[in-house]
Amino acid sequence: THPLGHMLHYEGNWNITRFHLLPDGRNSANNHAELRALLERFNTVATATLGEDSPCYLVALQSPNQDKPHRYRTNRLKKRYNLTAGWEFFSTSDALTYTVWSGDVTWKTKGFNRLLLHIYQSDFWDILWVNKENGAVFRPYDAGADISQPTPEALMARISSFYGWMPQDGRGFVTFNQAQMATTKF
């Protein structure tokens, strides 16, 4: 599938899971300390997933039905990170054509805090980073992140590292590429 965050866990060829990074399954921080902790966790999971100083693609999805403030923010994002249009696709579920923008960046811990705050505040949706060398994916959402790793073993290592951040009450998922799992056990 295309590396679109909201579609990743529907496909069976990704090694993917979700982490929720605020206590009690909440989607918003109660105070500045929790917000700082959320940013630290975003950075911790992203660095473990992508690797410090790793060359990545920054990928953003743009919808034709964005309101004026969202269009402005998206244009600023495209300019800041030199994003270019990669392709368009038509969604039959909402009858809209989406544009996928991407650009080359280097993942650095705390280097994208402003963008992560915008994602937390729902100013952006479907932003993701893809490691150019191994295809690992980090897709943050308001209070958590979906991650994909190139191998089942790498995903298992991330799950082991951050097991306490797995979502509760059936809101999480773990999916493995079945072809890669032929010789691996979880």
Side-chain angles (χ1 to χ4, degrees):
T1 184
H2 298 304
L4 304 173
H6 70 281
M7 298 170 71
L8 288 178
H9 67 277
Y10 295 114
E11 297 295 324
N13 57 346
W14 294 89
N15 299 302
I16 190 168
T17 195
R18 169 170 286 169
F19 295 109
H20 194 80
L21 306 177
L22 283 175
D24 305 321
R26 287 185 282 113
N27 289 331
S28 61
N30 286 338
N31 52 49
H32 290 292
E34 277 190 358
L35 186 56
R36 280 192 298 277
L38 175 63
L39 280 175
E40 287 294 324
R41 289 178 176 184
F42 273 141
N43 279 281
T44 299
V45 171
T47 299
T49 302
L50 301 169
E52 185 69 20
D53 296 322
S54 293
C56 295
Y57 297 109
L58 177 62
V59 181
L61 188 62
Q62 186 172 18
S63 163
N65 64 348
Q66 292 175 329
D67 61 17
K68 187 175 180 179
H70 198 156
R71 275 193 308 276
Y72 174 75
R73 282 190 300 270
T74 301
N75 287 335
R76 282 184 46 207
L77 178 77
K78 292 186 292 192
K79 184 176 180 180
R80 179 176 184 161
Y81 295 108
N82 197 26
L83 304 183
T84 58
W87 69 88
E88 291 184 341
F89 70 94
F90 181 77
S91 170
T92 56
S93 63
D94 55 14
L96 294 173
T97 300
Y98 293 89
T99 304
V100 180
W101 296 84
S102 66
D104 295 334
V105 297
T106 300
W107 175 261
K108 292 193 178 295
T109 301
K110 298 185 181 179
F112 295 91
N113 277 355
R114 174 179 273 175
L115 181 53
L116 291 169
L117 277 172
H118 278 295
I119 293 167
Y120 162 73
Q121 295 166 338
S122 299
D123 292 336
F124 288 111
W125 55 276
D126 232 349
I127 303 285
L128 54 91
W129 285 260
V130 180
N131 181 298
K132 290 171 81 172
E133 296 171 357
N134 64 21
V137 174
F138 172 71
R139 180 201 174 238
Y141 60 91
D142 54 10
D146 296 342
I147 69 160
S148 177
Q149 295 286 257
T151 66
E153 294 84 2
L155 183 61
M156 288 179 225
R158 294 297 77 73
I159 291 169
S160 295
S161 298
F162 306 118
Y163 186 77
W165 295 344
M166 299 291 286
Q168 302 296 312
D169 303 324
R171 295 186 338 196
F173 55 85
V174 177
T175 304
F176 292 103
N177 178 315
Q178 291 305 307
Q180 291 177 338
M181 285 297 287
T183 59
T184 304
K185 292 192 188 270
F186 181 55

